[in-house]
Amino acid sequence: NAGVTQTPKFQVLKTGQSMTLQCAQDMNHNSMYWYRQDPGMGLRLIYYSASEGTTDKGEVPNGYNVSRLNKREFSLRLESAAPSQTSVYFCASSWNYGYTFGSGTRLTVV
Amino acid sequence: GENVEQHPSTLSVQEGDSAVIKCTYSDSASNYFPWYKQELGKRPQLIIDIRSNVGEKKDQRIAVTLNKTAKHFSLHITETQPEDSAVYFCAASKDYGGATNKLIFGTGTLLAVQP
């Protein structure tokens, strides 16, 4: 029982490159979330998915897209990375209330 | 939308003292208030939570209080220990019991417990 697994753990991108952050959970949770964490700004919600096949914008969705491929997987895509997207990205899943977070992806855009 | 403010941003206490972190929220419809602890380089982990129909909840050395009228809630840690040193985040949600539970987080408090 791995919980929430994120890949990769670290990534360096050049401005304008694209990439997909992967997230998978094995707890049979319906809801999944993507947050970004920046110093002094806490965790901000990018996108979330209430169930398979549905996604909605959070507080800071610009520059990102998501896919809820199935109940287990929720991916975050940066189509054209910008230095402002340098951050630590956390995926989380929940059932009812408590979140389980993944270990995070540290992304640097140069 | 919901806004959560958290104070102080840093807090230094002596081992054995108490620590209090305060948060205010803007949306009176919020009904769920968790607290997360994040150690350096690790993921946030839930340490305690409270629902809007409860005024106080305690778990060993940790307690949370909620004042719905004033729209603020607080984390209290007694008899602090060096292992309590971490960043603490408060959060609020108005979706408790619904299809999702979107959490809006405060900006975090770095707690340092000096031995």
Side-chain angles (χ1 to χ4, degrees):
Chain A
N1 189 342
V4 179
T5 303
Q6 284 184 241
T7 56
K9 293 189 182 302
F10 301 93
Q11 183 71 48
V12 179
L13 287 179
K14 293 182 178 179
T15 297
Q17 286 185 319
S18 62
M19 79 162 295
T20 299
L21 281 64
Q22 306 287 352
C23 176
Q25 52 95 5
D26 62 3
M27 297 172 287
N28 203 35
H29 288 169
N30 284 325
S31 300
M32 298 186 73
Y33 313 83
W34 276 105
Y35 283 85
R36 60 177 289 174
Q37 183 175 27
D38 302 292
M41 302 189 75
L43 293 132
R44 292 181 292 168
L45 181 62
I46 305 172
Y47 270 94
Y48 65 98
S49 171
S51 61
E52 180 180 350
T54 68
T55 61
D56 283 290
K57 296 178 180 179
E59 301 170 89
V60 289
N62 291 345
Y64 306 95
N65 285 301
V66 290
S67 295
R68 183 74 182 269
L69 306 171
N70 47 54
K71 192 170 187 178
R72 291 186 64 250
E73 299 172 289
F74 188 38
S75 61
L76 178 71
R77 182 161 179 84
L78 287 71
E79 291 291 351
S80 179
S84 60
Q85 295 178 304
T86 293
S87 187
V88 179
Y89 291 85
F90 285 99
C91 176
S93 69
S94 73
W95 178 80
N96 202 19
Y97 56 95
Y99 277 23
T100 299
F101 282 93
S103 58
T105 296
R106 185 173 294 275
L107 175 66
T108 302
V109 182
V110 298
Chain B
E2 173 71 283
N3 183 52
V4 178
E5 294 189 359
Q6 182 171 349
H7 300 281
S9 57
T10 60
L11 179 60
S12 181
V13 300
Q14 291 295 123
E15 183 177 358
D17 287 350
S18 295
V20 180
I21 302 170
K22 299 181 179 182
C23 288
T24 59
Y25 60 98
S26 61
D27 193 336
S28 57
S30 292
N31 56 9
Y32 174 66
F33 308 92
W35 287 87
Y36 285 79
K37 176 183 180 182
Q38 186 179 30
E39 297 176 349
L40 186 63
K42 302 289 182 63
R43 72 194 77 189
Q45 293 196 306
L46 178 69
I47 56 171
I48 195 167
D49 57 10
I50 192 167
R51 293 166 55 184
S52 58
N53 59 350
V54 176
E56 183 173 358
K57 183 177 179 180
K58 189 173 182 180
D59 183 2
Q60 300 182 339
R61 296 186 297 108
I62 293 174
V64 57
T65 58
L66 171 65
N67 183 326
K68 288 170 54 181
T69 302
K71 291 191 285 187
H72 67 70
F73 56 112
S74 300
L75 178 70
H76 305 254
I77 305 174
T78 59
E79 300 173 18
T80 54
Q81 301 168 4
E83 52 264 39
D84 294 328
S85 296
V87 177
Y88 291 81
F89 291 99
C90 64
S93 168
K94 59 181 179 181
D95 301 321
Y96 181 84
T100 64
N101 189 26
K102 301 185 301 296
L103 292 177
I104 303 301
F105 285 84
T107 50
T109 296
L110 175 60
L111 173 64
V113 180
Q114 309 297 332

